[in-house]
Amino acid sequence: MVNQERANNGLAALTWDSSMTSYSDRRAKEITTDFSHNSAGGEMNVGENIAKGAISPDMVMDGWMRSDGHRANILNANYTKISVSCYYDGSTYYWVQNFVICTPFTGHPVKGVFLCVTVTNSNERQSNYTGKGNGLNHQQTSQT
């Protein structure tokens, strides 16, 4: 659905970011008690859409596309990757989309490697180097 909206607006498709899945899953549970963009586990330098109450993916996407801020995240040409989570607490559905920017890492000797940087809190930076078909999947965490 996200990539269809992006295609309708002349934008490149996003790819799934499995390295962010656990973060999105945690965020979906967190917003059941604190419906805000404040993460108990530290902030990540990502775009984020949250919603509650929508009972289907179509319904939540429709709501996000009708909201200027959420629509801006979905249609941000700089974002290249996405992770999505939904959590049901027994009475309400909670939805999260997280967006991240990954750029080609031209300084790496292996072609097809991308650098994705997320900030997990104010003192820690995580760099993910990923590449299709080259067996490279490296994560490096450093203090800033």
Side-chain angles (χ1 to χ4, degrees):
M1 284 185 264
V2 169
N3 283 335
Q4 185 58 56
E5 293 292 347
R6 290 174 65 86
N8 291 346
N9 287 275
L11 299 170
L14 300 174
T15 57
W16 182 255
D17 189 338
S18 60
S19 69
M20 284 183 31
T21 302
S22 62
Y23 177 77
S24 295
D25 289 347
R26 180 172 52 85
R27 289 293 297 133
K29 291 178 184 175
E30 283 179 353
I31 63 174
T32 65
T33 58
D34 181 12
F35 191 75
S36 73
H37 291 287
N38 300 320
S39 174
E43 294 184 26
M44 288 192 68
N45 187 18
V46 298
E48 181 177 77
N49 287 344
I50 61 175
K52 68 178 179 179
I55 59 173
S56 72
D58 288 328
M59 184 182 283
V60 74
M61 271 300 292
D62 182 61
W64 281 331
M65 291 305 291
R66 292 174 187 268
S67 162
D68 290 341
H70 296 104
R71 181 182 177 88
N73 274 340
I74 292 167
L75 300 180
N76 185 326
N78 294 316
Y79 292 135
T80 58
K81 296 196 177 260
I82 188 171
S83 65
V84 180
S85 293
C86 176
Y87 179 76
Y88 181 65
D89 71 355
S91 63
T92 304
Y93 288 93
Y94 296 85
W95 305 83
V96 174
Q97 290 179 324
N98 288 120
F99 305 89
V100 70
I101 300 169
C102 293
T103 58
F105 186 25
T106 56
H108 197 279
V110 178
K111 288 186 177 184
V113 175
F114 292 84
L115 172 63
C116 307
V117 178
T118 56
V119 178
T120 54
N121 63 46
S122 60
N123 296 318
E124 187 175 282
R125 178 178 301 275
Q126 180 173 323
S127 300
N128 299 303
Y129 304 93
T130 60
K132 185 176 182 181
N134 62 15
L136 180 67
N137 187 2
H138 168 76
Q139 290 190 342
Q140 173 184 337
T141 302
S142 60
Q143 299 295 318
T144 57

